[in-house]
Amino acid sequence: MLTGISIGTIMVTSSNSWMLAWLGLELNSFAILPLISKTKHPRSIEAATKYFLTQSTASCLILFASTINAWQTGTWTITQMPDKLPSTLMLIALTMKMGAAPMHLWLPEVMQGTTLLTSLLISTWQKIAPMVLIFTTSNHLPSNIALIMGLLSTYLGGWGGMNQTHLRKMMAFSSIANMGWTLMTLTSEPKLSMINIMTYMLLTTPTFILLAQTSTKTLQDMTTMWTTSPTSSITLTFLLLSMAGLPPLTGFMPKLLILNELISQNLTAASIATTMASLLSLIFYLRISYLTSLLNTPNSSTSTTKWRQNMNNLKMAQMTPTAVMSTTTLPTLYL
């Protein structure tokens, strides 16, 4: 299944035709369905069904938009999409695949119904293929619609995550809010949008690996993380603050560049609204950080429950460099 997911993404990133890109997206979607439903639980089956229905609808829209474009231009080339109708339909379909507002309602439910590592795949790797297609067609996409979808995503992601107690749903709304930041500069500075989404993937990877290693799924579990692993607790706190965009951590730089680009495009009102929306996300990031490292003093655990941490050298080898880069890359970006 992982090979199918990888091949599907590679097909999309290396294709120049809408038909080949559509086949790669379909392979990508079908390959991850067994991973979502592998826990043999009704909630995981429900999550796989919701994921299948949403991705199938988005794939139909992609095929419909590319067919209209081929009918109008006589070519299936991805970069040739001058008409507004197919470009608007394509933007809606690709943002639906990535989980941006207002087509975002499937993402929290799917991530809640599967395992932490599969949620990591959905929130990182599965976004690469649609993001590459959006980047390729960014000069033809409607800028007003992308800006509105970006503002909606930042606000709905912030509002939705404030009332959550399950960490997978909270990370899903964090992903929606970050997609809003990505869409804000999609048509004016697409390279900056790519930098933002890649930085988010760099931040999300060690966060999910830490949660999986410590078997942490709810906010209540966060209160006991310090007694089982102080190092993991401190690392997770820095990762969450970096995702919130606080300086001098790595996540601050993409948000600063996006706000600078919006102001340079005379979109000062949009930049102010986006900054206000980031405060909503900051609330639940600080809530997790408070429960993780500031609520309890360092002490020995007196609980008789089973030790929850099960270290895996391979996963820790993946987590260590990404965690370091997620919190200390900002001085390098300045240089």
Side-chain angles (χ1 to χ4, degrees):
M1 294 301 104
L2 292 176
T3 304
I5 294 173
S6 303
I7 292 176
T9 304
I10 293 171
M11 283 178 61
V12 175
T13 54
S14 59
S15 64
N16 193 37
S17 170
W18 279 116
M19 188 59 67
L20 185 60
W22 178 77
L23 289 174
L25 289 172
E26 286 297 292
L27 177 61
N28 208 349
S29 299
F30 281 114
I32 200 174
L33 287 175
L35 297 180
I36 298 176
S37 59
K38 71 177 182 179
T39 54
K40 303 299 185 294
H41 190 274
R43 183 178 288 273
S44 63
I45 303 299
E46 178 186 353
T49 305
K50 290 179 179 178
Y51 185 83
F52 170 73
L53 293 175
T54 308
Q55 298 299 311
S56 299
T57 304
S59 297
C60 290
L61 273 178
I62 291 174
L63 193 59
F64 180 59
S66 58
T67 304
I68 294 177
N69 182 67
W71 177 45
Q72 292 177 343
T73 61
T75 178
W76 289 89
T77 307
I78 294 178
T79 55
Q80 301 296 325
M81 188 173 284
D83 193 72
K84 289 185 178 180
L85 177 60
S87 61
T88 304
L89 290 175
M90 192 62 68
L91 176 63
I92 294 173
L94 292 175
T95 51
M96 183 187 296
K97 276 190 168 293
M98 290 189 295
M103 287 76 64
H104 68 286
L105 296 176
W106 64 272
L107 185 60
E109 298 298 325
V110 170
M111 290 181 64
Q112 177 63 23
T114 184
T115 62
L116 282 166
L117 295 180
T118 308
S119 299
L120 171 62
L121 275 179
I122 295 173
S123 59
T124 54
W125 184 266
Q126 292 297 96
K127 291 185 179 182
I128 294 178
M131 196 63 211
V132 168
L133 292 177
I134 285 183
F135 177 76
T136 308
T137 59
S138 58
N139 58 329
H140 297 299
L141 298 178
S143 58
N144 292 335
I145 296 178
L147 189 64
I148 292 172
M149 293 176 70
L151 284 172
L152 278 175
S153 297
T154 53
Y155 274 96
L156 292 177
W159 276 324
M162 288 174 62
N163 199 32
Q164 300 298 327
T165 57
H166 291 273
L167 293 176
R168 281 170 292 183
K169 274 194 175 182
M170 199 172 292
M171 294 300 295
F173 283 107
S174 169
S175 173
I176 294 168
N178 185 266
M179 279 306 306
W181 284 89
T182 304
L183 292 173
M184 296 298 291
T185 57
L186 185 61
T187 56
S188 59
E189 191 61 40
K191 293 181 180 179
L192 183 55
S193 296
M194 291 296 289
I195 291 174
N196 180 68
I197 193 68
M198 291 303 174
T199 304
Y200 175 76
M201 292 178 185
L202 180 69
L203 298 173
T204 306
T205 301
T207 303
F208 270 105
I209 293 176
L210 267 177
L211 294 177
Q213 287 296 312
T214 55
S215 301
T216 306
K217 298 178 181 179
T218 63
L219 288 179
Q220 186 177 3
D221 295 336
M222 302 290 288
T223 59
T224 59
M225 181 182 288
W226 186 276
T227 58
T228 57
S229 179
T231 306
S232 299
S233 175
I234 295 173
T235 305
L236 185 61
T237 301
F238 278 110
L239 287 171
L240 293 170
L241 294 179
S242 183
M243 292 175 67
L246 293 181
L249 302 174
T250 306
F252 169 70
M253 178 55 72
K255 290 181 170 56
L256 177 64
L257 293 175
I258 289 173
L259 293 176
N260 182 48
E261 177 64 24
L262 290 175
I263 293 174
S264 65
Q265 296 289 332
N266 293 324
L267 296 172
T268 308
S271 65
I272 294 174
T274 311
T275 307
M276 298 298 292
S278 67
L279 297 178
L280 298 174
S281 301
L282 180 62
I283 290 175
F284 63 82
Y285 285 128
L286 289 178
R287 183 185 180 192
I288 303 176
S289 302
Y290 174 74
L291 292 174
T292 304
S293 60
L294 301 177
L295 189 62
N296 295 328
T297 56
N299 55 8
S300 299
S301 177
T302 58
S303 174
T304 58
T305 58
K306 185 180 179 181
W307 187 275
R308 290 189 295 114
Q309 191 170 10
N310 182 19
M311 304 304 292
N312 186 309
N313 292 331
L314 178 59
K315 293 178 181 178
M316 294 304 293
Q318 298 170 356
M319 187 203 71
T320 304
T322 52
V324 172
M325 292 177 65
S326 299
T327 54
T328 60
T329 313
L330 186 58
T332 307
L333 295 177
Y334 272 121
L335 294 176

